[in-house]
Amino acid sequence: MGKNNSMRPSNGVWLILDSLSYNSTPFASDGPDSMPRFQTLAEDEGVIFSEAYAPGPFSPSSHASFFTGELPSTTGMYEAYPFFNSDIPTIADFLSETHRTSLISVNHFLFQGLERGFDYVNDIGRTYMHFQNASDPKDYSKKYNSDPRLKRFVDFLRDDGKPFKSVVNGLKYRFGEKNIKPKEWGDERDFQYADTMGEMILDQLSSHKDDSFVVANFMDLHGPFDVSDEALNKFFSDTDRSEIPLGVVPRRDKLRGEKSYDPAKMYNLYKAAIWDLDRKFTSLVKDLIDNDIFVAVCADHGWYDTNSAYSDERLHIPVVLFSPEEENRRISHTVSLRQLPRTTAEVLLGDGGEFNGPSLLKTESDQVAVSEVVHKPNEIYEKTKRVYVNRPSQGAEPNEIQRDLVLFKGDAKVQFVDGSCDVIRGDSTIADELIEQGQNILDSPINYPDGDQIMYDERTEDRLKHLGYLS
């Protein structure tokens, strides 16, 4: 495709492949052949970043951070409190005056305050919302469960000024089909919705042809996995099907020797799921870029069935950008996913706003990439050092919270974990720079939540347990 150097794209799309590690893709020097179609497309038409890092190892911290360009501790949304109620502008807030904005996912944490600023919001796990602009019965069941039942019902009907539409939503939630099924392999409990989400993305763009911005988070790589026979033949040609952990929830609360499955086979199954996603996903990306749409493909964090939240498998992620104004190339400088909102704002509007920079597309040297974990240690962390996402209603107090940092620049990596500072690798001069910057961050305040604590309803809690966020 020839590049259009005279026209700024009017439409933009973020395609977030939840839990995709850089080293699990063919972009890594010794990476597997897990995304052959997307690799070819990216090398032909994209800008590939080989040293990009996530701002957090989990959905709450990472999404809040790269939606705003700020660290998780600044946004107030992190593993100790996975709810966004800050007045910090998000990318949707910034673009809402010029673009029609849409958010599509089944990832629960994107609908815990981060949906603010989007004109259209579709939580695929909430298909009962026949009228998106009316009251959501699930919100009322979890946020206002301390109110008397009659008061809650009256408020539910009149809150959005659309009582009839709210009643329809309520009836569908109570009696209707609450999930939609994907079209091919996998089922609704495995969250593999790539085909369905692709159709939704194209529908949003076709309904609003100019000045649209869509964020879509794909959960196909967040186990449990059910993959196609073709993928099994490719990645398990010599393994009996009974030995493959199909449909098994990866366990982060157990040490490797305690798991009911072979971690190596689970990782191989993960690569098979990537290969399946590639077959569904790449045609969507090709369709978007052929229509001169700015497309950002990234991950919020990497593979999570690892021995540490601070490993490269969790924090080193793929980022590929496609824009009509950009030639295909590879950028090997260290960058942070926190630079994505500024990049998007500059591409679509020519104005980076107040977002942190520089733009990814203007990177000329190694940046300092910071990953931050603000969490409440529990017995699982003490045993495995695996961080867990708390329920917001648990209300961690400041003295219960642990703040950890991982900083990257060039070949250097420095960790601040549980009060200790360790140089993991790299040149001592750069490491000293990272130590100084890390200490400055640790000396800065954490934004603690205020107001009422939210609660998870039964279906949400079941979903998060199935995804491995809750024990």
Side-chain angles (χ1 to χ4, degrees):
M1 182 181 73
K3 296 298 180 181
N4 182 350
N5 294 313
S6 62
M7 184 186 304
R8 184 181 303 282
S10 60
N11 299 321
V13 178
W14 286 5
L15 303 175
I16 306 163
L17 305 183
D18 202 294
S19 306
L20 181 60
S21 297
Y22 181 82
N23 289 336
S24 301
T25 72
F27 299 113
S29 58
D30 57 349
D33 184 29
S34 57
M35 303 187 81
R37 297 162 184 78
F38 184 66
Q39 179 190 19
T40 299
L41 181 62
E43 290 177 345
D44 288 346
E45 306 198 47
V47 182
I48 302 168
F49 295 83
S50 58
E51 294 296 330
Y53 292 89
F58 297 93
S59 285
S61 55
S62 186
H63 279 101
S65 188
F66 76 82
F67 271 45
T68 62
E70 303 291 341
L71 289 173
S73 59
T74 302
T75 69
M77 181 175 185
Y78 32 72
E79 281 58 63
Y81 187 79
F83 190 83
F84 183 75
N85 61 1
S86 170
D87 58 1
I88 297 173
T90 68
I91 184 63
D93 291 326
F94 182 77
L95 292 177
S96 61
E97 294 185 7
T98 57
H99 286 68
R100 206 254 184 185
T101 55
S102 304
L103 174 64
I104 304 169
S105 184
V106 71
N107 187 335
H108 170 76
F109 294 114
L110 287 176
F111 307 100
Q112 295 297 290
L114 289 175
E115 74 275 21
R116 187 190 73 199
F118 287 96
D119 300 305
Y120 171 83
V121 175
N122 193 331
D123 178 352
I124 298 177
R126 296 187 178 194
T127 55
Y128 56 84
M129 284 294 289
H130 186 77
F131 296 106
Q132 297 291 328
N133 60 349
S135 297
D136 183 340
K138 183 177 284 188
D139 281 343
Y140 275 78
S141 69
K142 70 181 180 183
K143 288 184 179 180
Y144 306 106
N145 60 351
S146 61
D147 291 345
R149 185 181 297 270
L150 178 60
K151 180 180 186 302
R152 195 189 326 163
F153 179 70
V154 171
D155 289 343
F156 167 72
L157 292 179
R158 69 183 184 185
D159 188 56
D160 289 290
K162 300 176 179 65
F164 175 76
K165 292 181 178 181
S166 296
V167 166
V168 172
N169 287 347
L171 291 174
K172 287 197 68 179
Y173 176 67
R174 181 67 179 84
F175 300 107
E177 179 70 26
K178 298 183 178 67
N179 295 295
I180 58 176
K181 297 180 184 296
K183 292 185 174 179
E184 298 182 23
W185 53 85
D187 61 35
E188 73 276 7
R189 277 190 64 81
D190 293 324
F191 313 106
Q192 295 164 340
Y193 291 95
D195 284 323
T196 299
M197 288 186 60
E199 293 176 1
M200 290 178 175
I201 293 165
L202 295 175
D203 180 66
Q204 288 301 302
L205 292 167
S206 63
S207 301
H208 306 273
K209 294 184 182 299
D210 295 316
D211 301 327
S212 289
F213 175 65
V214 179
V215 174
N217 176 277
F218 293 75
M219 297 291 283
D220 295 55
L221 306 181
H222 208 304
F225 301 115
D226 185 9
V227 300
S228 67
D229 290 338
E230 295 92 332
L232 289 178
N233 290 335
K234 179 177 177 62
F235 290 91
F236 290 96
S237 58
D238 299 324
T239 305
D240 187 270
R241 188 182 182 93
S242 63
E243 299 177 11
I244 304 171
L246 293 164
V248 176
V249 179
R251 297 296 299 267
R252 290 179 291 179
D253 59 335
K254 293 183 180 296
L255 297 171
R256 283 184 174 267
E258 298 175 339
K259 295 181 179 181
S260 62
Y261 56 85
D262 181 342
K265 288 186 173 66
M266 181 64 80
Y267 183 67
N268 220 34
L269 186 59
Y270 166 66
K271 291 186 290 184
I274 298 172
W275 190 81
D276 266 345
L277 177 63
D278 180 46
R279 293 194 291 158
K280 301 178 180 181
F281 175 77
T282 302
S283 59
L284 167 66
V285 180
K286 179 62 174 171
D287 194 352
L288 296 174
I289 63 179
D290 282 352
N291 284 281
D292 290 333
I293 294 171
F294 168 69
V295 180
V297 178
C298 63
D300 58 339
H301 57 76
W303 175 234
Y304 51 88
D305 194 30
T306 59
N307 60 351
S308 171
Y310 314 104
S311 65
D312 286 11
E313 288 81 5
R314 293 297 298 270
L315 300 175
H316 189 191
I317 57 170
V319 174
V320 183
L321 305 182
F322 301 88
S323 180
E325 300 175 306
E326 298 293 332
E327 297 294 334
N328 62 313
R329 61 191 186 276
R330 181 180 286 260
I331 295 178
S332 300
H333 295 302
T334 305
V335 296
S336 171
L337 193 58
R338 286 200 296 139
Q339 296 168 239
L340 184 57
R342 182 176 186 91
T343 306
T344 304
E346 287 192 5
V347 168
L348 297 182
L349 297 179
D351 176 9
E354 299 298 321
F355 296 116
N356 285 314
S359 164
L360 289 166
L361 294 170
K362 295 179 180 178
T363 302
E364 297 181 348
S365 61
D366 288 325
Q367 306 298 302
V368 175
V370 180
S371 299
E372 186 179 43
V373 189
V374 182
H375 66 108
K376 178 184 178 181
N378 58 14
E379 65 278 2
I380 293 171
Y381 177 82
E382 298 300 328
K383 177 181 178 181
T384 66
K385 298 304 178 187
R386 292 184 174 98
V387 174
Y388 262 72
V389 178
N390 283 12
R391 297 166 177 79
S393 57
Q394 290 175 323
E397 297 296 327
N399 62 355
E400 299 176 305
I401 287 178
Q402 180 173 314
R403 183 187 202 178
D404 300 327
L405 296 175
V406 187
L407 299 94
F408 302 88
K409 184 178 182 181
D411 65 349
K413 177 181 179 180
V414 171
Q415 286 185 182
F416 292 82
V417 178
D418 200 13
S420 297
C421 175
D422 295 296
V423 177
I424 306 303
R425 60 175 182 260
D427 176 82
S428 60
T429 301
I430 300 177
D432 288 343
E433 175 191 345
L434 296 182
I435 291 171
E436 180 179 0
Q437 182 159 340
Q439 193 58 61
N440 289 337
I441 293 172
L442 291 173
D443 290 340
S444 64
I446 295 175
N447 181 9
Y448 294 106
D450 53 15
D452 296 333
Q453 303 291 313
I454 64 169
M455 300 185 69
Y456 294 148
D457 62 23
E458 184 176 348
R459 289 187 68 248
T460 298
E461 188 164 322
D462 179 65
R463 184 200 297 190
L464 295 179
K465 286 180 179 178
H466 197 63
L467 288 170
Y469 283 111
L470 299 177
S471 58

